[in-house]
C-alpha cells in the first residue's frame, strides 16, 4: 500500500501531522517568493513550481477538475510561475489548458512540457498537439522527455526556439541509470535546462550532474523532491527538528524542498501539487531563509538516521 502526503496527514501523530500542513496565514496574504536566475537569459523564476503529473480525472483519480482549478488559482495568487506537465501525463495538458484559459492567467505562467516520441515528424506532431491541448501557440520550455531520441529532437527544438514557439529547451530524466548519458549530452550540447531527480535522501545527481549544470550554465529543475511520497512515509509521525526554524521551515514538505532549492545549482523544484493546501505549504519553501551548507549536512544526517520505509510501501 502506498501512502500519499494526504494519507500521512490522516495517520500522522501529534505535532508531526500538524506541522506537515503548518503553513503561515500571512504568507497567503503577502506572498514574496524567492527566485533564482535562468543562467542562459538571466530571467528569474520562483524556486518552487508545480508538477502536474497527477492532473487526471476518472477512476482512481479526482472526480472532476474543481480541485485542480482551485490549486492553480491559488498557485497564481501566491506568485507561482513554473508548471511542468507532459503529453504522457494523461489529460494533464488538456486540464491545464482549460484552467489557464478560464482563469485568464496564461501569460503570467511559465509553462513547461515535453516531447516524448521517436522520430522528427512524430515529435513535431506531438508538440503541436501539446500546444493545442494547452490552448497556446508557445510554451516557455520544451524538454526531451527521458532523453528519448534526443539527437533528433534537439535540432527541432532549436528551430522552434529561433521561430519563437518556445523560449527555452532542455532534457529530462528521473532515472539514475541515465545519468551517464545525461552527462554526455550536457557536455556536448547547449541546453537552457536540465531536469533531474534529487532529494535529501537520494543525492546521487549532486555528485556530477548538478556541478556540471553549474559549470555549463544550465538551469536545473528538480523532480521527485519528495521521492514519490517516500520521504513523507519515512517521517510519518515524527516532529520537525527544532533547529529547522533557523531556516524558516514549518513543515516536512518545506524541509524537503528547502534542502533541494538551497543547492547552488538548483533553479526550481516542481513538487506534485493537486490541492490548494499543499500548494500553500509547498510555496512556503520559496519564502524566508534557506539552510546553510552546514545546516544542509545536518539535514542529511537527520534523515539518514531514520529507517527507510519498507520497499513498495
Amino acid at each position: 500500500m502506498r501512502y500519499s502526503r494526504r494519507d500521512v496527514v490522516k495517520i500522522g501523530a501529534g505535532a508531526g501531522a500538524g506541522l506537515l500542513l503548518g503553513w503561515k496565514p500571512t504568507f497567503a496574504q503577502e506572498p514574496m517568493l524567492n527566485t533564482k536566475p535562468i543562467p542562459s537569459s538571466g530571467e528569474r523564476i520562483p524556486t518552487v513550481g508545480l508538477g502536474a503529473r497527477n492532473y487526471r480525472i476518472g477512476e482512481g483519480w479526482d472526480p472532476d477538475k474543481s480541485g485542480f482549478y482551485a490549486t492553480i488559482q491559488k498557485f497564481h495568487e501566491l506568485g507561482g510561475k513554473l508548471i511542468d506537465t507532459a503529453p504522457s501525463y494523461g489529460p494533464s495538458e488538456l486540464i491545464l489548458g482549460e484552467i489557464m484559459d478560464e482563469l485568464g492567467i496564461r501569460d503570467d505562467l511559465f509553462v513547461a512540457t515535453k516531447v516524448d516520441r521517436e522520430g522528427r515528424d512524430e515529435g513535431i506532431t506531438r508538440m503541436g498537439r501539446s500546444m493545442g491541448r494547452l490552448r497556446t501557440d508557445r510554451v516557455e520550455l520544451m524538454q526531451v522527455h527521458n532523453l528519448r531520441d534526443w539527437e533528433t529532437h534537439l535540432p527541432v527544438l532549436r528551430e522552434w526556439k529561433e521561430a519563437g514557439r518556445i523560449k527555452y529547451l532542455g532534457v529530462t530524466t528521473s532515472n539514475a541509470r541515465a545519468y551517464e548519458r545525461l552527462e554526455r549530452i550536457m557536455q556536448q550540447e547547449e541546453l537552457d535546462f536540465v531536469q533531474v531527480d534529487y532529494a535529501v535522501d537520494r543525492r546521487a545527481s549532486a555528485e556530477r550532474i548538478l556541478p556540471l549544470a553549474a559549470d555549463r550554465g544550465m538551469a536545473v529543475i528538480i523532480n521527485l523532491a519528495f521521492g514519490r511520497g517516500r520521504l513523507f512515509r519515512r517521517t510519518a509521525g515524527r516532529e520537525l527538528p527544532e533547529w529547522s526554524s533557523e531556516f524558516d521551515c514549518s513543515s516536512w514538505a518545506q524541509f524537503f524542498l528547502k534542502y533541494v532549492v538551497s543547492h547552488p545549482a538548483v533553479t526550481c523544484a516542481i513538487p506534485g501539487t493537486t490541492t490548494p493546501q499543499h500548494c500553500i505549504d509547498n510555496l512556503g519553501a520559496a519564502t524566508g531563509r534557506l539552510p546553510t551548507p552546514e545546516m544542509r549536512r545536518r539535514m542529511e544526517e537527520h534523515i539518514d538516521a531514520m529507517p527507510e520505509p519498507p520497499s513498495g510501501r
Side-chain angles (χ1 to χ4, degrees), residues 111-300:
V111 178
T113 191
K114 306 175 184 78
V115 55
D116 61 356
R117 287 291 183 269
E118 300 282 346
R120 177 184 171 90
D121 292 344
E122 286 291 322
I124 290 173
T125 298
R126 190 73 159 174
M127 290 190 292
R129 180 172 175 264
S130 291
M131 297 283 195
R133 285 159 61 96
L134 288 165
R135 301 191 181 189
T136 188
D137 59 2
R138 56 165 176 76
V139 295
E140 280 67 35
L141 172 60
M142 186 67 74
Q143 305 156 99
V144 180
H145 202 180
N146 293 327
L147 313 181
R148 187 173 183 181
D149 200 10
W150 64 270
E151 300 98 330
T152 297
H153 296 314
L154 283 182
V156 177
L157 296 191
R158 292 192 177 93
E159 292 173 9
W160 281 40
K161 182 177 178 180
E162 182 68 24
R165 302 192 68 180
I166 62 175
K167 193 171 185 179
Y168 302 104
L169 59 86
V171 297
T172 82
T173 188
S174 58
N175 188 336
R177 292 189 294 272
Y179 287 178
E180 185 176 345
R181 185 156 55 113
L182 174 59
E183 188 176 351
R184 290 198 302 269
I185 295 168
M186 293 170 65
Q187 289 169 337
Q188 69 186 61
E189 300 289 337
E190 296 295 327
L191 305 172
D192 298 304
F193 278 83
V194 294
Q195 183 180 144
V196 69
D197 60 302
Y198 180 51
V200 65
D201 68 337
R202 294 290 188 275
R203 304 186 289 269
S205 61
E207 296 174 8
R208 298 179 67 90
I209 300 301
L210 299 189
L212 179 59
D215 289 344
R216 297 281 290 147
M218 298 172 182
V220 177
I221 295 174
I222 296 300
N223 56 51
L224 301 186
F226 299 150
R228 301 193 192 280
R230 180 187 64 249
L231 281 167
F232 290 114
R233 298 191 296 275
R234 192 167 186 171
T235 55
R238 297 176 181 267
E239 295 187 21
L240 280 169
E242 291 184 4
W243 43 264
S244 63
S245 63
E246 296 181 26
F247 50 90
D248 301 317
C249 175
S250 61
S251 73
W252 279 117
Q254 293 175 19
F255 186 99
F256 307 143
L257 290 170
K258 284 196 173 228
Y259 173 82
V260 165
V261 302
S262 62
H263 191 290
V266 170
T267 310
C268 179
I270 49 167
T273 312
T274 59
T275 71
Q277 293 89 346
H278 290 167
C279 177
I280 295 169
D281 192 19
N282 292 343
L283 287 182
T287 67
R289 294 169 293 177
L290 289 175
T292 62
E294 294 75 16
M295 189 61 74
R296 283 171 51 83
R297 286 192 289 273
R298 190 174 185 182
M299 296 166 80
E300 294 170 358

Side-chain angles (χ1 to χ4, degrees), residues 2-184:
R2 286 188 173 274
Y3 293 105
S4 65
R5 183 173 6 164
R6 187 179 302 172
D7 296 325
V8 171
V9 173
K10 293 177 181 178
I11 66 176
L19 285 168
L20 182 58
L21 294 181
W23 54 85
K24 301 176 182 178
T26 54
F27 168 65
Q29 298 168 5
E30 300 179 4
M32 295 183 63
L33 302 185
N34 299 329
T35 63
K36 286 190 177 184
I38 298 168
S40 66
S41 69
E43 177 183 1
R44 302 186 71 92
I45 55 175
T47 55
V48 176
L50 183 150
R53 183 178 184 274
N54 292 334
Y55 278 50
R56 313 184 195 209
I57 294 171
E59 185 176 355
W61 303 97
D62 282 35
D64 55 52
K65 71 176 184 181
S66 59
F68 304 142
Y69 184 100
T71 302
I72 298 301
Q73 185 175 41
K74 179 59 64 177
F75 181 75
H76 176 255
E77 287 175 359
L78 297 179
K81 291 289 184 182
L82 194 154
I83 298 179
D84 180 83
T85 183
S88 59
Y89 298 167
S92 173
E93 290 179 325
L94 188 63
I95 290 169
L96 287 173
E98 292 174 354
I99 293 172
M100 290 190 297
D101 191 48
E102 291 167 12
L103 289 173
I105 61 173
R106 168 64 190 93
D107 291 342
D108 296 336
L109 298 176
F110 187 108
V111 178
T113 191
K114 306 175 184 78
V115 55
D116 61 356
R117 287 291 183 269
E118 300 282 346
R120 177 184 171 90
D121 292 344
E122 286 291 322
I124 290 173
T125 298
R126 190 73 159 174
M127 290 190 292
R129 180 172 175 264
S130 291
M131 297 283 195
R133 285 159 61 96
L134 288 165
R135 301 191 181 189
T136 188
D137 59 2
R138 56 165 176 76
V139 295
E140 280 67 35
L141 172 60
M142 186 67 74
Q143 305 156 99
V144 180
H145 202 180
N146 293 327
L147 313 181
R148 187 173 183 181
D149 200 10
W150 64 270
E151 300 98 330
T152 297
H153 296 314
L154 283 182
V156 177
L157 296 191
R158 292 192 177 93
E159 292 173 9
W160 281 40
K161 182 177 178 180
E162 182 68 24
R165 302 192 68 180
I166 62 175
K167 193 171 185 179
Y168 302 104
L169 59 86
V171 297
T172 82
T173 188
S174 58
N175 188 336
R177 292 189 294 272
Y179 287 178
E180 185 176 345
R181 185 156 55 113
L182 174 59
E183 188 176 351
R184 290 198 302 269

